Amino acid sequence: LGGLAVIAFGLWLRFGGVMADFASDKKSPDYFFMGLYVLVGAGALMTTVGFFGCCGAARESQCLLGAFFACLLVIFAAEITAGVFAFIGKKVAIQEAQKIYEDIYDEYMKNPGGKVNRTIYHYHLALQCCGKDNMEQQTGLPCPENIQMPKASNCLVEIQNVIDVNLHLVGIVGIAIAGITIFGMIFSMVLCCVIRNTRDMI
C-alpha cells in the first residue's frame, strides 16, 4: 500500500499541478523530473517487494522473508541516498529551471512575435507571474489576467518557491517511506524468528 501511494504521489507531481505545465514544454527542468521518475520506480519496487513479503508471511517461508528483508534494506539505502541527493541538488534544480525561463525570456525579447510567445505565456500561466521585475510589465509580455502583486514582479522567485514546495513534499514522503521500510524489516525478522522457533519446537 505504501508503494502504491508513492507511485500515485510521484505521478501526481509529474502529470498534475504546476510541474506538469513545465513538462508540457520542450524546455523543462529535466533534473527535477529525473527525481520523480526515481520516486515512481521506488514505489513500483516497494509494491513488488511487499507482494512477495505477503506471500512469504502467508506461506511461512523463511527464505522469502529473508529475501524480503534484504530487498527492504536495499530500498532503505536507496531512499537515504536519494534524499541526500535531492537536498544537495535542490539548488541545481532551481538554477536550471530559472535559466530555462531566462533563455525563453531573452528569446522573446529578441522576437516578440515568434514561437516562443506561447512558451513564455505557458510559464506565466503556470506560475501566475510575469517577467523578472516591475518595470518589465510595460514591455508587452504575454501575461495571464488578474495577476496579483507581488507574484507578478518576479517569475524567478516563483520558480524557486514552486521547486522548494515540491521538494519538501518529496522529502516528507521519503521520510514516511523510510519509517514504513524500517517497520517492515523489523516485522519480517520477528516473523522469521518465530517461524524458526516454532519449527524447532515441532
Side-chain angles (χ1 to χ4, degrees):
L1 288 175
L4 290 174
V6 172
I7 293 172
F9 178 74
L11 292 176
W12 173 76
L13 279 180
R14 175 62 179 80
F15 297 106
V18 175
M19 297 312 297
D21 291 325
F22 286 159
S24 62
D25 277 306
K26 292 181 180 178
K27 294 182 178 180
S28 59
D30 296 329
Y31 187 88
F32 181 82
F33 292 125
M34 285 294 291
L36 296 185
Y37 296 141
V38 170
L39 190 67
V40 172
L45 183 61
M46 279 185 66
T47 304
T48 306
V49 170
F51 174 76
F52 287 113
C54 288
C55 290
R59 291 179 173 272
E60 296 186 354
S61 169
Q62 288 180 283
C63 182
L64 280 175
L65 287 172
F68 177 69
F69 175 86
C71 289
L72 285 183
L73 188 62
V74 171
I75 291 172
F76 181 74
E79 286 165 358
I80 298 298
T81 304
V84 171
F85 177 75
F87 281 106
I88 290 175
K90 181 175 74 171
K91 187 176 180 181
V92 177
I94 291 170
Q95 288 175 346
E96 182 185 346
Q98 288 176 335
K99 186 178 184 302
I100 289 170
Y101 176 78
E102 288 182 318
D103 289 344
I104 293 169
Y105 176 85
D106 292 339
E107 190 177 341
Y108 173 82
M109 297 306 266
K110 292 176 183 176
N111 184 18
K115 293 180 180 179
V116 76
N117 183 73
R118 178 183 172 277
T119 304
I120 196 169
Y121 178 76
H122 207 124
Y123 266 76
H124 290 162
L125 187 63
L127 295 165
Q128 284 296 296
C129 64
C130 190
K132 295 190 287 186
D133 57 53
N134 292 335
M135 294 300 294
E136 290 168 356
Q137 300 301 312
Q138 301 173 5
T139 63
L141 285 169
C143 301
E145 298 178 358
N146 303 322
I147 296 179
Q148 297 179 353
M149 298 296 290
K151 293 189 78 173
S153 62
N154 200 329
C155 284
L156 299 180
V157 173
E158 286 305 310
I159 288 171
Q160 179 175 345
N161 292 339
V162 166
I163 293 180
D164 270 334
V165 168
N166 281 286
L167 279 178
H168 282 149
L169 284 173
V170 171
I172 291 168
V173 171
I175 291 170
I177 296 169
I180 294 170
T181 305
I182 290 171
F183 278 110
M185 287 190 290
I186 293 170
F187 291 150
S188 64
M189 289 309 296
V190 169
L191 241 154
C192 207
C193 292
V194 169
I195 292 168
R196 181 182 297 172
N197 292 337
T198 303
R199 288 178 179 174
D200 289 343
M201 289 175 64
I202 294 172

